[in-house]
């Protein structure tokens, strides 16, 4: 264990970071004995608010937190970091075309990729939360060629946690008693929640979930609910998910850093090697196990026809996003 | 959203706008909601609005909660809201009603640690006396800290001028400083302090350490009886005990009188509102 690890969070003055920073500083991600330094990055207009966040982190009196560096400079923010949570991204505004959004995000993730390349540790683990997460992660990696592509991931863990809860509630067990629900593909409406390989524990006995779930419920209620949950939370809160998004980011990074449990796998969007027919070279959510800081795609799982056709749709969307993003990148050179 | 975070210890979540449902069989209560001060609101309007809230909740606690319920009031004015709440829950021991000064304690602890160049965990026994308001009394006279494995008193290693003219006002005004920066009041740190307060009450304090909780005063240290006043306490077996015999210097003593006076005034105003309503 290193004496102190350095962690950068972008969008640090925002809502998700407000929950996330606390969970990281508390020790939930990197371990309850791991000392931390936090680098907080946001845009210049947010520096006043960010100072308020720094004050609150101090006022939390958290034992592991050694240092907090608030900044609007990517160079300072990414210096020597071991882990990066890229939460900040350009949100869609009214009247904004998809290509405007993409152009704005390419700029952000290009700058951050270049800074990671120059200043971060080569072992840095990067989790992109800011949407469109998969493609933002791809762009970021593109501009950080000296850092292994495997180090760039995007978050589908919120979708996994949501799916896990729904299955647990349906089966009448605790959420911890459900394992191996998969989210495939893009963190978007084309994501593919899949219970074909899930199992659960009831009365001390481990069983497959699918035989005990009604097919109609799975396809017509569960899948759409998970796909649209983000919108449902916005409609209720009038704000997007922050608490649960932050929790999911912690779960993703913690499992990557500390390893998954034997017999369990988790969903992470990682650089695709073509497994399960997914296109190579996009960031695609797969079931993975983790150990020693490395993720490995779980091979040999069942993929039914319904899931397979949905995989094709999400793959197509990711290829389109990649092409658009690369066109913007090349236009900028 | 709480459910989908996959927090596997949670068994059930009941959202409601009914105090009867909310307080049914509860073992612990965090009373965070209160009427915030709005522009043009007089102090007496704020008090009247809060008396109504904490009367309703006190009555519901009295009717529905377990008699062992531990109550932490966070919503301001916390001390007086806790007093009102307790007033309307006569079947629940007065000792079960507390108000939060733990945020002030955590803030103070960080400032002292930073000044001494140690980790926040290495500072102990900073006290917050009195009301959770601008009259609170941060006090380091009994604080100690660990440096290079050695435990030492803090005060001798702190500049008196810094303590009285920088540290005390900073802690007293920290809430306002956070609002000025964030444009919102402290949430993260307030929530953390509420957890610390309830956790220490529930699970017990460490040997050699005490914490600050606003509890029903028995007159210790010259504080008026029958108000909710923040004292240094230890906790064990779910009970708090005021730490006796600590040093109280003259500067601190005169500040204690000010905060006590404010609490008595708040109590009198609140009781007048309560009686007006009967």
């Amino acid at each position: 264990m290193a004496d102190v690890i350095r962690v950068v969070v972008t969008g640090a003055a925002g809502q998700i970071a407000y929950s996330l920073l606390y969970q990281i500083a508390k020790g939930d991600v990197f371990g309850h004995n791991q000392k931390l330094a936090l680098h907080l990055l946001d845009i210049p207009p947010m520096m006043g608010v960010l100072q308020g966040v720094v004050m609150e982190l101090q006022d939390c009196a958290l034992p592991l937190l050694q240092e907090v560096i608030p900044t609007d400079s990517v160079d300072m923010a990414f210096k020597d970091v071991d882990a990066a949570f890229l939460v900040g991204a350009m949100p869609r505004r009214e009247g904004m075309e998809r290509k405007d959004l993409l152009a704005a995000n390419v700029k952000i993730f290009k700058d951050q990729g270049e800074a990671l390349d120059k200043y971060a540790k080569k072992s840095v683990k990067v989790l992109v939360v800011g949407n469109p997460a998969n493609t933002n992660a791809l762009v970021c990696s593109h501009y950080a060629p000296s850092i292994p592509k495997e180090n760039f991931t995007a978050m589908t863990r919120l979708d996994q946690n949501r799916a896990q809860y729904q299955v647990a509630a349906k089966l009448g067990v605790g959420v911890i008693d459900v394992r191996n629900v998969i989210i495939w593909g893009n963190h978007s409406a084309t994501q593919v929640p899949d219970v074909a390989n899930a199992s659960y524990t009831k009365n001390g006995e481990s069983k497959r979930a699918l035989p005990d779930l009604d097919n109609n419920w799975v396809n017509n209620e569960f899948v759409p609910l998970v796909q649209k949950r983000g919108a449902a939370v916005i409609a209720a809160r009038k704000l997007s998910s922050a608490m649960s998004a932050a929790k999911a980011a912690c779960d993703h990074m913690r499992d990557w850093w500390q390893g998954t449990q034997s017999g369990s796998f988790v969903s992470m969007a990682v650089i695709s090697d073509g497994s399960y027919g997914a296109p190579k070279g996009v960031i695609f959510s797969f079931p993975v196990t983790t150990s020693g800081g490395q993720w490995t795609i779980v091979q040999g799982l069942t993929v039914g026809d319904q899931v397979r056709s949905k995989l094709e749709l999400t793959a197509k969307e990711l290829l389109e996003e990649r092409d658009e993003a690369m066109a913007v990148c090349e236009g900028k050179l």
Side-chain angles (χ1 to χ4, degrees), chain A residues 228-242:
Chain A
K228 298 174 191 167
R229 185 68 156 194
V233 172
I234 291 175
R237 293 192 72 226
K238 313 295 182 233
L239 291 167
S240 52
S241 316

Side-chain angles (χ1 to χ4, degrees), chain A residues 84-113:
Chain A
F85 291 81
L86 308 186
V87 180
M90 175 68 73
R92 188 191 299 273
R93 295 209 162 82
E94 211 160 348
M96 227 175 180
E97 293 284 347
R98 186 186 166 79
K99 65 169 66 76
D100 303 321
L101 191 69
L102 206 58
N105 279 308
V106 163
K107 168 128 191 44
I108 291 171
F109 286 89
K110 174 176 186 289
D111 285 350
Q112 295 184 3

Side-chain angles (χ1 to χ4, degrees), chain A residues 212-325:
Chain A
D212 296 337
L213 292 167
D214 172 53
N215 246 5
N216 187 54
W217 177 83
V218 171
N219 294 318
N220 299 322
E221 290 186 48
F222 165 71
V223 165
L225 190 153
V226 173
Q227 289 174 330
K228 298 174 191 167
R229 185 68 156 194
V233 172
I234 291 175
R237 293 192 72 226
K238 313 295 182 233
L239 291 167
S240 52
S241 316
M243 181 209 297
S244 52
K247 168 58 165 53
C250 289
D251 289 342
H252 173 121
M253 187 64 86
R254 179 202 63 231
D255 286 348
W256 191 5
W257 196 269
Q258 303 197 39
T260 44
Q261 306 284 328
S262 169
S264 283
F265 46 80
V266 296
S267 296
M268 287 173 60
V270 297
I271 191 72
S272 170
D273 62 356
S275 294
Y276 298 97
K280 281 190 188 178
V282 290
I283 294 200
F284 194 96
S285 184
F286 287 103
V288 302
T289 53
T290 58
S291 178
Q294 309 285 331
W295 52 262
T296 308
I297 295 172
V298 179
Q299 301 294 344
L301 296 174
T302 312
V303 177
D305 291 334
Q306 285 232 9
V307 169
R308 188 167 297 285
S309 59
K310 290 183 186 133
L311 289 187
E312 282 165 27
L313 281 169
T314 196
K316 181 163 176 289
E317 184 181 64
L318 279 166
L319 287 166
E320 283 168 3
E321 284 186 13
R322 180 183 68 178
D323 292 345
E324 282 187 61

Side-chain angles (χ1 to χ4, degrees), chain A residues 44-267:
Chain A
M46 298 307 287
M47 287 301 104
V49 173
L50 193 58
Q51 193 50 45
V53 176
V54 173
M55 283 195 263
E56 284 216 73
L57 283 167
Q58 293 171 348
D59 296 348
C60 283
L62 292 161
L64 298 173
L65 193 55
Q66 304 301 300
E67 190 182 12
V68 180
I69 303 175
T71 182
D72 57 6
S73 150
V74 282
D75 297 354
M76 271 193 81
F78 288 95
K79 187 142 178 55
D80 295 330
V81 295
D82 298 275
F85 291 81
L86 308 186
V87 180
M90 175 68 73
R92 188 191 299 273
R93 295 209 162 82
E94 211 160 348
M96 227 175 180
E97 293 284 347
R98 186 186 166 79
K99 65 169 66 76
D100 303 321
L101 191 69
L102 206 58
N105 279 308
V106 163
K107 168 128 191 44
I108 291 171
F109 286 89
K110 174 176 186 289
D111 285 350
Q112 295 184 3
E114 288 173 345
L116 280 160
D117 194 60
K118 264 204 283 234
Y119 299 111
K121 296 205 173 99
K122 299 305 171 196
S123 55
V124 66
K125 286 177 171 41
V126 181
L127 166 57
V128 177
V129 177
N131 281 316
N134 301 51
T135 301
N136 285 339
L138 192 68
V139 168
C140 197
S141 174
H142 180 76
Y143 286 99
S146 73
I147 296 172
K149 288 183 164 4
E150 289 72 27
N151 292 29
F152 290 85
T153 65
M155 189 171 91
T156 47
R157 185 57 174 264
L158 179 52
D159 311 294
Q160 177 195 315
N161 287 350
R162 288 167 170 165
Q164 197 170 324
Y165 172 78
Q166 295 299 327
V167 170
K170 190 70 178 170
L171 293 170
V173 295
V175 69
I176 197 64
D177 296 319
V178 172
R179 285 174 301 290
N180 303 341
V181 177
I182 302 168
I183 306 292
W184 301 95
N186 198 6
H187 175 67
S188 74
T190 67
Q191 61 170 273
V192 189
D194 174 22
V195 293
N197 297 278
S199 49
Y200 74 109
T201 307
K202 195 162 189 172
N203 304 320
E205 196 190 324
S206 180
K207 317 167 70 170
R208 283 291 199 165
L210 200 52
D212 296 337
L213 292 167
D214 172 53
N215 246 5
N216 187 54
W217 177 83
V218 171
N219 294 318
N220 299 322
E221 290 186 48
F222 165 71
V223 165
L225 190 153
V226 173
Q227 289 174 330
K228 298 174 191 167
R229 185 68 156 194
V233 172
I234 291 175
R237 293 192 72 226
K238 313 295 182 233
L239 291 167
S240 52
S241 316
M243 181 209 297
S244 52
K247 168 58 165 53
C250 289
D251 289 342
H252 173 121
M253 187 64 86
R254 179 202 63 231
D255 286 348
W256 191 5
W257 196 269
Q258 303 197 39
T260 44
Q261 306 284 328
S262 169
S264 283
F265 46 80
V266 296
S267 296

